[in-house]
Amino acid sequence: MKVGVIGTNWLVEEMISIFNKCGAEVLAVYSRSADRAKFFSENNNIKLYFDDLEKMLQVDDIDIVYIASPNAVHHEQAELALLSGKHVIIEKPIVLKLDDLQDLIDIAEKHKLFVFEAVTTLHLPNYQKIKEMIEEIGDIKLVDLNFSKYSSKYDDFLNGTIKSVFNREMGGGALNDMNVYNIHFLLGLFGTPRKYTYYPNVERGIDTSGIVVAQYDSFTATLSAGKDVVGNSHISIQGVNGLIRSSSSSSTIENFEFVTFDKSVIVDVQDKNIYEYEMQDFIKIIENRDVESYKELLAQSRNVVEVLERINNE
Amino acid sequence: MKVGVIGTNWLVEEMISIFNKCGAEVLAVYSRSADRAKFFSENNNIKLYFDDLEKMLQVDDIDIVYIASPNAVHHEQAELALLSGKHVIIEKPIVLKLDDLQDLIDIAEKHKLFVFEAVTTLHLPNYQKIKEMIEEIGDIKLVDLNFSKYSSKYDDFLNGTIKSVFNREMGGGALNDMNVYNIHFLLGLFGTPRKYTYYPNVERGIDTSGIVVAQYDSFTATLSAGKDVVGNSHISIQGVNGLIRSSSSSSTIENFEFVTFDKSVIVDVQDKNIYEYEMQDFIKIIENRDVESYKELLAQSRNVVEVLERINNE
């Protein structure tokens, strides 16, 4: 399969080799800036480059469009790609509004295409292991997820140069950028909370960090994310019979510790680049037209978008 | 100085040697149960035992009464002790209502006596070190404290045998018992939050665990405590320039890691039993009639009681 990518950031660069490993080839790149598109294509051995998205979408050979642009333009670009007959893989958060998501789902269905949210968490073997093992720790009482990392763009932000990830109109902020992983992690294990409250730290109109408090019937979880702090990512799920903890973020889950009253083991069943798992899953779903797995992923994305939309509208 | 102790639990047993190390002697013990008082005194080489509190308070030699009874009876017992001319050291939380605290402060002042809250945190050298170093980590963005430990009494509780720490009428529960340390830790560093919300996990009418969300003007802190979970105590204070973290609870702070962009050091300036620091401070304050230090401690206790009272009344 051939891929056209939208965006020229470090993640797109990483994805080129990931697609290769999954048997797909990045054939074309689009950037608003012709110079950047050209530079990126030359630097990464990509045959075609475009500063006109519609032109890239006219390339028949492209089967999949991978979208890694600012969150605010995900919907529009995905719609165009689907209408051009391409499958779409969109970086998290897939979109920021339920209506936008429904629109994409409808178009994809009509054209027998797939639309995916690229969020590492759900596809990580260590996450699936946590899902398997969590029953053993008994009733859950305390959940605390922290994904935090000082962003080099935060210095620019403080100096007045505002990049997309710190731009509200571009769908930036710590909630949409990093806490999305925590929300996926949480909802994948426990479903949609009955209530959630966001406590953002707002600077210049954007949440540079913040905490989501998510209430379930029998416990409350706190999800912290920060782009403005020295990082201390961790996962802590405490039950009456045991504990699952990790010093990794919910985006990587490099390993986790499984503790009960009489034992403590380190679990790690991952040996690939974290992005390989998601891409492998998407390509397999497309190849096998595995609608069941597809719908499961979409259902989770829908639940997460619902949380994001509500919080963003508060 | 001579001490009379109220209570016969493991902590009181521990305190006997602590008092000794601080140059004080435990002369008498009181328990509602004559058998327990006798057994405890024999077992710990204490000269006098009582099942009548007023009788113990009539012993002239006793200078200090140390109260480690259920929270709900702290106020009444401390009042009696002060009216008998004894200094009073009360296990945290000192009392659960501001009026009760004011009452004790007034009586103590009138009789030129001292009333102390025994809470390890404030007196720990590692805590004082955190207070000194915290400025270096810059603006604070995320604070997450977790003090959790499976209580052996939780099994009894689930089986219907309800001990004081799980009895609402006795002032039990995870907030009053364990989260008090987190609240002291937080307020000692940042003052009283402008708003706090408690998210308790309630079983049989009592919070067996729960999370306090404390909002300051520029950040929000989460304080978790649990008596019903496999413990995962930790401290995390994240600033724009650095991080303070520990895998200890706020009650012990065995050591902490101080991380900035270019260094990471483990800090530990404690070498004594954690209870020795508080008792040493109290005895020094009494001996030197150090009213300034005394008032500082009381001010902090008042702020904490205010938080507890509001939350308990919700």
Side-chain angles (χ1 to χ4, degrees), chain A residues 269-311:
Chain A
V269 291
Q270 291 173 192
D271 56 4
K272 294 183 192 168
N273 181 301
I274 53 162
Y275 301 109
E276 211 174 319
Y277 298 108
E278 55 180 24
M279 288 307 170
Q280 220 171 26
D281 284 351
F282 300 150
I283 287 173
K284 225 185 280 172
I285 286 173
I286 295 173
E287 287 177 345
N288 302 336
R289 299 209 61 81
D290 176 0
V291 175
E292 200 183 326
S293 303
Y294 171 64
K295 294 228 158 144
E296 218 174 278
L297 290 175
L298 273 185
Q300 161 95 0
S301 290
R302 170 189 287 279
N303 291 340
V304 171
V305 172
E306 193 188 353
V307 175
L308 294 180
E309 179 170 13
R310 289 222 191 147
I311 293 176

Side-chain angles (χ1 to χ4, degrees), chain B residues 229-286:
Chain B
V229 287
V230 173
N232 188 24
S233 294
H234 58 260
I235 290 164
S236 171
I237 307 173
Q238 296 176 264
V240 295
N241 298 327
L243 160 72
I244 288 167
R245 73 172 152 203
S246 174
S247 328
S248 299
S249 73
S250 55
S251 73
T252 59
I253 320 179
E254 285 151 36
N255 59 56
F256 64 91
E257 199 181 347
F258 180 86
V259 184
T260 57
F261 291 110
D262 50 16
K263 71 163 188 244
S264 162
V265 290
I266 304 285
V267 180
D268 179 13
V269 292
Q270 290 174 191
D271 55 5
K272 294 182 192 169
N273 180 302
I274 54 162
Y275 301 109
E276 212 175 320
Y277 299 107
E278 56 180 23
M279 288 306 172
Q280 222 172 24
D281 284 350
F282 299 149
I283 287 173
K284 226 186 278 174
I285 286 173
I286 295 174

